[in-house]
Amino acid sequence: MSQKRPADPGPGAVLIPGDRLKALALRVTLSRAEWRLLALVLASPTPLTARQLAKRLQVSYEPVKRTVRGLVHWQILERTAQGLAFQPDADRLGPP
């Protein structure tokens, strides 16, 4: 029986090692909404804005903006000139 090869992530994809996500999952308790936003940011080949996240999730901008603010405050996401990006340094995760 042959094993499936992982799909090619394509150009511009950001690969996050599993240990970084494990550290995040163990150190910080996230709500379902926070995990959904984080998953979209991780899956996107380009940085997304809070407004783009709200459109993709088909929800109001205000709760997305509030959730993003919390994720940035906990240093899980960081704001860049292009949009939101995952902050992969496990030592920085957690309360400021």
Side-chain angles (χ1 to χ4, degrees), residues 9-21:
V14 177
L15 299 177
I16 308 297
D19 60 334
R20 301 269 166 70
L21 291 177

Side-chain angles (χ1 to χ4, degrees), residues 5-96:
R5 293 181 60 192
D8 181 19
V14 177
L15 299 177
I16 308 297
D19 60 334
R20 301 269 166 70
L21 291 177
K22 181 180 177 184
L24 173 64
L26 295 175
R27 291 182 70 183
V28 182
T29 301
L30 298 176
S31 69
R32 185 179 349 180
E34 290 167 330
W35 276 114
R36 287 180 71 198
L37 289 178
L38 185 57
L40 278 176
V41 169
L42 288 171
S44 177
T46 59
L48 298 170
T49 65
R51 191 162 306 280
Q52 291 170 323
L53 287 168
K55 284 183 181 181
R56 289 192 184 189
L57 290 172
Q58 298 178 346
V59 297
S60 299
Y61 170 68
E62 291 79 17
V64 170
K65 180 179 166 185
R66 184 174 41 250
T67 303
V68 164
R69 207 178 300 133
L71 292 171
V72 169
H73 184 73
W74 279 75
Q75 299 181 28
I76 296 167
L77 293 180
E78 58 187 4
R79 289 184 177 98
T80 68
Q82 297 80 27
L84 298 163
F86 179 70
Q87 185 287 113
D89 184 0
D91 294 333
R92 289 179 45 199
L93 298 174

